[in-house]
Amino acid sequence: MSAAGNAEHAEHAENAENTENTENTEGSVEVTLAVGQQKELPAVPTAAGQPHGREMYAILEIGVRGNGAPGIAGGPAHGSGPVLAEVLIVDTSRSMLHPAAKLHAAKDATAAAIRLLPEGTAFAVLSGRFDATVVHPGPGRATMAVAGPAECEAAERAVRILEADGGTAIGTWLDLARRLLKQQSAPIKHVLLLTDGRNEHDHRSAVRLDTVLDACEGRFVCDAWGIGDDWDADLLLGIARRLHGRAGAVRDASELPAAYEELMSGLLGTAVPELRIKLTPTPGTVIRQVKQVVPIEQDLLATGAGFGERGAEYVTRAWGEEIRHFQVVLTADPTGHETGEDLQLAAVEVVVPDFGRTVRLPAPRPVLVRWTDNPLDASRQHPGVRRHELYQQASAAVARAHRAWLRRAEGRATADRELARALALAAELGDAPLLDELRRIEAAPGTGRVRDGLKDVDWQHLILSTAMTTPPRQPAAGAPAAHPPAAGPSAPPGPDELIECPGCRWIGPADSVYCGGDCGRLLKGAS
């Protein structure tokens, strides 16, 4: 066959393969995995007394695409039982009456969530005070209701007649939710918790919140929301992070029903109920930490169940069509290894337990290291790792500014300084939503000073905002990275410029000497 014939045959084969892949992908869930890292680590200690072990940081970018498939929570029942088990918790402590608009909004929002439950969903509504009570299907009921027109109408009537009294002990609320959900086999178990308070009566409770969170972790996902002017951002974030959910709040009580509808719509769009990250380190490599860093920071605990002595699995839950980033920290020892050679420190694999739907999984990917004697190469940092550090610094600056603001005149100078620091970090991150929240605190644009007349709830909203993280913006497909005008022929690249590796398409800082992706090649133009 001629060369032209070979090329035409290859083109037809490629087109056929692409068509087949499209057909196989359509209507099925697809999971993607990419490993980003700066592979170079110093082969010799950089300071006297430094241990031989070195820390390698890698960013895992995991994405889930539904490819047109409907969310499983909004679909038909899973086998003989429901796909979703939902518990709605309403704070009915006495403070919900000050003003009464909070309780009215809580009722409206809960009723809106009930109306969105797909038929066949297991659900319950709880009232939270010093203890917790099952509002629907009723006090003393050990089982959950099953959503249907009549059942949902009855639940809404029960919500409408709720009254507020007593105190706030959130541990008892979550513990009752745990006991109800424990009997459910639904692949998606979710709790939506609303409070206007600060868990001020935890000390009077028979079961403390920390103990309850230990018992609930891994059992269900919980989103924690605040309403009014006296909720505690750290409390909501603590619950959400431990129970793999998200924390939020509304500035005005009237916004809550729309927020609940959006939350429920997102929940019903769940594409994967559970996704596991499996890490298999090579001999001599130790897993130090695995945590989610986008869209919110969450430490992940290794399960290790049924997996080898060296390997570990990390469970994540309730994935819609989204991308999340995870940071992996490994320790390795260069002793006995050559410099300049790519070595595998660990293999990364994504596992999705069977939930009755076809899932296309990515191939395992390596985490690599290249030991080097070049201090310049060894000092480089992957952009994703650097970005996470900037978010941590911004969050810490806001926390310090808030503590200083609480000291009024005595802490004013410190509050101004820390706010200016947070503004600079948000600008470096290019995080527009975070900048907007910081400017709500700022006296006037560009001043870097805390404005007068703030309430504590303004800071609580800001603290929640610092917990939300975003990935760096990527250049449009096929478009070259934007470069500002150079001052001269030898002007160095700016800190925000990016370069794309022609081999593996890794994207990283424009001054990178080596590709931080799979190929690890010397980049064009680097010396």
Side-chain angles (χ1 to χ4, degrees):
M1 185 180 290
S2 66
N6 282 330
E8 184 178 357
H9 177 76
E11 183 178 356
H12 283 311
E14 182 179 355
N15 289 340
E17 181 180 357
N18 289 339
T19 301
E20 181 181 355
N21 287 341
T22 301
E23 291 174 352
N24 290 340
T25 301
E26 187 175 355
S28 64
V29 178
E30 182 181 7
V31 180
T32 60
L33 168 65
V35 177
Q37 59 174 129
Q38 190 69 40
K39 293 186 291 187
E40 287 76 18
L41 285 181
V44 295
T46 56
Q50 186 183 56
H52 289 290
R54 311 285 187 272
E55 286 191 339
M56 167 59 71
Y57 289 77
I59 297 293
L60 312 182
E61 182 181 297
I62 300 177
V64 172
R65 290 197 291 261
N67 295 310
I72 62 168
H78 177 76
S80 59
V83 176
L84 170 65
E86 176 72 20
V87 176
L88 300 164
I89 303 179
V90 185
D91 185 339
T92 54
S93 60
R94 185 179 294 110
S95 60
M96 287 290 284
L97 293 175
H98 306 288
K102 289 188 292 186
L103 185 59
H104 293 152
K107 292 178 180 181
D108 289 343
T110 305
I114 291 170
R115 288 193 293 269
L116 288 173
L117 293 174
E119 192 161 347
T121 298
F123 78 103
V125 182
L126 308 186
S127 167
R129 300 178 183 176
F130 287 120
D131 55 8
T133 304
V134 179
V135 175
H136 187 84
R141 294 282 294 274
T143 58
M144 297 173 68
V146 178
E151 199 71 38
C152 289
E153 287 178 10
E156 185 173 345
R157 286 196 299 271
V159 168
R160 293 295 180 190
I161 62 174
L162 281 173
E163 295 181 351
D165 197 11
T168 304
I170 295 176
T172 62
W173 312 354
L174 289 172
D175 189 56
L176 178 54
R178 177 190 64 82
R179 286 184 273 127
L180 289 171
L181 291 170
K182 184 178 181 180
Q183 303 172 32
Q184 297 297 319
S185 59
I188 303 175
K189 299 178 182 180
H190 182 259
V191 172
L192 181 50
L193 182 152
L194 175 73
T195 183
D196 75 330
R198 296 176 174 264
N199 200 36
E200 58 191 348
H201 299 110
D202 190 56
H203 64 286
R204 293 176 50 179
S205 172
V207 54
R208 304 296 288 269
L209 179 58
D210 286 342
T211 303
V212 173
L213 290 175
D214 288 339
C216 293
E217 189 168 9
R219 306 291 183 182
F220 56 82
V221 172
C222 179
D223 292 329
W225 273 68
I227 188 173
D229 292 341
D230 199 34
W231 48 272
D232 181 357
D234 289 331
L235 170 66
L236 300 183
L237 287 169
I239 294 171
R241 284 171 169 156
R242 287 291 299 276
L243 303 183
H244 290 214
R246 301 190 186 185
V250 290
R251 294 185 179 277
D252 188 279
S254 63
E255 300 170 355
L256 188 64
Y260 263 38
E261 289 178 356
E262 184 178 350
L263 280 167
M264 291 302 298
S265 296
L267 177 64
L268 298 181
T270 300
V272 173
E274 180 180 302
L275 185 150
R276 298 188 175 211
I277 302 169
K278 180 183 289 187
L279 287 178
T280 308
T282 55
T285 300
V286 178
I287 303 171
R288 292 299 183 191
Q289 186 184 50
V290 177
K291 64 180 176 180
Q292 179 179 289
V293 293
V294 173
I296 187 172
E297 182 176 323
Q298 291 177 336
D299 286 322
L300 302 181
L301 299 178
T303 62
F307 197 45
E309 292 182 2
R310 290 187 293 108
E313 287 187 347
Y314 300 83
V315 179
T316 65
R317 302 183 189 278
W319 286 70
E321 292 200 48
E322 60 179 308
I323 294 175
R324 302 182 194 177
H325 289 192
F326 301 85
Q327 180 172 282
V328 174
V329 183
L330 306 172
T331 301
D333 188 344
T335 305
H337 295 295
E338 295 291 333
T339 59
E341 177 185 0
D342 280 358
L343 300 171
Q344 181 170 305
L345 294 181
V348 184
E349 187 177 357
V350 174
V351 178
V352 175
D354 179 39
F355 61 98
R357 182 170 290 181
T358 301
V359 180
R360 292 165 56 88
L361 295 175
R365 305 296 295 273
V367 178
L368 304 173
V369 67
R370 180 183 295 158
W371 300 110
T372 178
D373 295 326
N374 186 332
L376 177 62
D377 292 344
S379 67
R380 299 191 185 279
Q381 192 176 41
H382 185 270
V385 175
R386 171 62 178 165
R387 191 171 182 82
H388 176 53
E389 289 182 354
L390 292 177
Y391 271 115
Q392 289 183 314
Q393 293 171 21
S395 179
V398 167
R400 290 192 296 268
H402 178 225
R403 289 195 297 269
W405 175 83
L406 291 172
R407 303 203 313 269
R408 303 305 178 189
E410 180 186 350
R412 185 59 183 262
T414 300
D416 289 345
R417 183 173 61 252
E418 295 299 337
L419 175 62
R421 170 69 173 155
L423 282 161
L425 289 165
E428 183 175 352
L429 286 162
D431 190 323
L434 178 56
L435 274 170
D436 288 344
E437 291 296 329
L438 286 164
R439 286 167 181 155
R440 286 176 177 265
I441 300 293
E442 192 179 18
T447 62
R449 296 197 304 271
V450 176
R451 70 177 174 87
D452 296 329
L454 286 175
K455 298 179 180 179
D456 189 70
V457 70
D458 297 316
W459 289 97
Q460 299 305 320
H461 279 286
L462 178 57
I463 291 168
L464 281 188
S465 296
T466 63
M468 299 303 298
T469 57
T470 62
R473 294 189 303 270
Q474 299 290 357
H483 296 276
S490 60
D496 295 327
E497 294 180 47
L498 300 172
I499 191 172
E500 180 174 327
C501 172
C504 67
R505 303 301 179 190
W506 172 82
I507 295 176
D511 61 347
S512 298
V513 176
Y514 291 96
C515 168
D518 290 342
C519 68
R521 65 191 292 172
L522 183 69
L523 296 175
K524 182 179 180 180
S527 59

